[in-house]
Amino acid sequence: MSLWEIGVLFAGVGFFIFCVWITFRLIQKLGATINRVNRTLDKVDREVGPLLQNLNTTVTSVNTNLTQVEGELEKVGHITGNAAHVSSNVANITSLVTAAVGSPLVKVAALGFGLRSAVKRRNQEMDEDQVRRMVEASKQSKRERKAARKARKRAK
């Protein structure tokens, strides 16, 4: 064996020892990491149990409240149905009252309009008749003056 071969043999053995040492260090670090993960999982397990119990209690309480709300909603549904029935009855009564009172009111309003129109027409006719009489009196007065002038001219 030459010196070169012995050097390569020592280098190979050194490299092998280095690789074994790195492997053991990595296995130690992996073991430490696994221990940390186990401790974290244990903590999570200890804390999740009570959280799940609290969640179960909360869900049970919510379900109880929802059952009560459902009962209240049924009551509201009945009240709404009754309100709709009352509203329908009021609408029917309103239409009956409108039909019973509305027709006579329309007739009274029409009568009032007719009377007002008749009185207005009568007053207008009276005014026109008075104007005609005044015009006629004016014409008569004019004729009489004319006749009086003619009579004075003849007399002269």
Side-chain angles (χ1 to χ4, degrees):
M1 252 195 197
S2 73
L3 191 59
W4 174 251
E5 291 173 342
I6 293 175
V8 170
L9 180 68
F10 277 130
V13 169
F15 184 71
F16 176 74
I17 292 172
F18 177 73
C19 287
V20 169
W21 180 75
I22 290 290
T23 304
F24 281 120
R25 290 292 294 165
L26 288 175
I27 289 172
Q28 283 177 345
K29 287 200 181 245
L30 181 64
T33 304
I34 288 174
N35 284 338
R36 283 186 189 154
V37 168
N38 282 337
R39 277 184 276 159
T40 304
L41 287 176
D42 287 341
K43 281 182 183 178
V44 167
D45 187 36
R46 276 183 261 130
E47 292 177 7
V48 166
L51 285 175
L52 288 176
Q53 287 177 350
N54 288 341
L55 180 65
N56 190 21
T57 304
T58 303
V59 167
T60 303
S61 175
V62 167
N63 284 337
T64 303
N65 289 340
L66 283 176
T67 303
Q68 290 174 350
V69 167
E70 187 175 281
E72 295 299 321
L73 286 176
E74 284 182 22
K75 291 177 186 176
V76 169
H78 289 298
I79 290 170
T80 304
N82 291 338
H85 185 69
V86 167
S87 175
S88 173
N89 288 343
V90 167
N92 290 338
I93 289 172
T94 302
S95 65
L96 285 174
V97 168
T98 301
V101 174
S103 180
L105 285 177
V106 169
K107 290 178 183 178
V108 167
L111 177 68
F113 178 75
L115 285 174
R116 190 176 69 216
S117 297
V119 167
K120 187 176 178 182
R121 201 174 319 123
R122 182 174 168 247
N123 287 340
Q124 189 177 11
E125 287 174 3
M126 288 176 72
D127 289 345
E128 287 175 4
D129 193 38
Q130 190 176 17
V131 169
R132 278 190 204 112
R133 277 189 262 127
M134 288 173 66
V135 168
E136 197 57 42
S138 173
K139 286 180 184 177
Q140 182 66 29
S141 165
K142 200 174 185 183
R143 277 186 249 144
E144 287 175 359
R145 277 185 276 147
K146 234 184 191 180
R149 263 187 275 160
K150 281 186 186 178
R152 272 185 277 163
K153 277 188 182 179
R154 279 189 225 145
K156 283 192 186 179

